[in-house]
Amino acid sequence: MSNEITEQHGFTLTPSSLEEAMKFSEIISKSDLVPKDYKNKPGNVLVAIQMGQEIGLPPMQALQNIAVINGRPSVWGDAIPAIIKSHPHYEWMKESFDEKTMTATCVIKRRGDHEVVGVFSQADAQAAGLWKKQGPWTQYPRRMLQMRARSFAARDAFPDALKGLSVAEEVQDVPQVKDVTPQQPETQPAALEQQETITLDHAVFVIEGCATEEELREEAAPLCAALDGATQAKARDVYKAKLAELKQEAQA
């Protein structure tokens, strides 16, 4: 494996083959220092490192700042300033908070372009059904408002730096369908009717993102059950193919 240790850049993984990269990922996945999304999942480690490379994060920073949430790779809000500030067109970034209106504002200036403003207030959070929601929105409401304003501005000003990655704090708030048995769709809870419409593309995305049979049953099966007709049939075909693939991997 070709590894570099330089005074300027520290440790850099530069594998000469997929096999060498997988060996490195295997070692990292067994460490107690990696987040649970990567524990004993060398494939996830490898993908996270590659994603980190694309957005300018070194391997270990990528593992700490890229999370798999609801089947989607997402970057934590605190990593956003690090990513965009390393961009050659970055000029400045300013954040503020109005205590009276509970409004967070983030302004980002890209060199040669106009200022981009991201705003998120208590009123916005209430309209979105987030205010006083159990969890961080109850424990750290100001912080969550700040992260939303920051992500809005960053994604609008530097979409090329974030490469389309979602922001973790936003993805965590996306409603998820849980505890629904595919064989008994009539027993779905009433809360399901309040969820956003499930599309075939979304179901396929979640299915393909599952790394274990357990994840497939818990996260993807309910989505398949929420579909109907030909759309459900297509989703089930993708589900069965993914299940067969995971079984084969487990036997290898």
Side-chain angles (χ1 to χ4, degrees), residues 63-176:
L63 294 175
Q64 294 299 322
N65 290 289
I66 297 178
V68 179
I69 301 176
N70 298 333
R72 299 180 63 183
S74 311
V75 60
W76 290 107
D78 286 332
I80 290 179
I83 295 170
I84 65 174
K85 287 181 179 181
S86 64
H87 194 283
H89 294 163
Y90 171 82
E91 192 164 331
W92 52 259
M93 170 181 172
K94 297 178 181 178
E95 293 181 288
S96 61
F97 194 86
D98 187 330
E99 295 284 356
K100 293 182 179 179
T101 60
M102 290 295 286
T103 300
T105 302
C106 179
V107 185
I108 299 177
K109 180 67 170 64
R110 183 177 179 129
R111 189 172 292 109
D113 205 344
H114 59 82
E115 298 176 4
V116 175
V117 182
V119 178
F120 204 76
S121 65
Q122 176 180 337
D124 293 325
Q126 289 173 330
L130 301 173
W131 195 249
K132 293 190 177 181
K133 177 182 178 181
Q134 185 176 3
W137 278 102
T138 298
Q139 300 166 328
Y140 317 106
R142 175 171 172 167
R143 179 69 170 170
M144 296 303 289
L145 293 172
Q146 177 191 10
M147 291 298 100
R148 280 301 178 94
R150 177 187 292 178
S151 67
F152 287 168
R155 287 192 284 110
D156 288 344
F158 285 93
D160 51 336
L162 293 174
K163 306 294 185 184
L165 277 178
S166 302
V167 178
E169 286 82 359
E170 288 186 75
V171 179
Q172 285 180 321
D173 291 326
V174 175
Q176 295 298 303

Side-chain angles (χ1 to χ4, degrees), residues 21-40:
M22 286 300 295
K23 287 182 179 179
F24 174 81
S25 300
E26 184 73 37
I27 295 173
I28 294 298
S29 70
K30 295 179 180 178
S31 170
D32 291 332
L33 299 180
V34 296
K36 64 178 182 179
D37 291 320
Y38 304 114
K39 187 69 174 178
N40 296 320

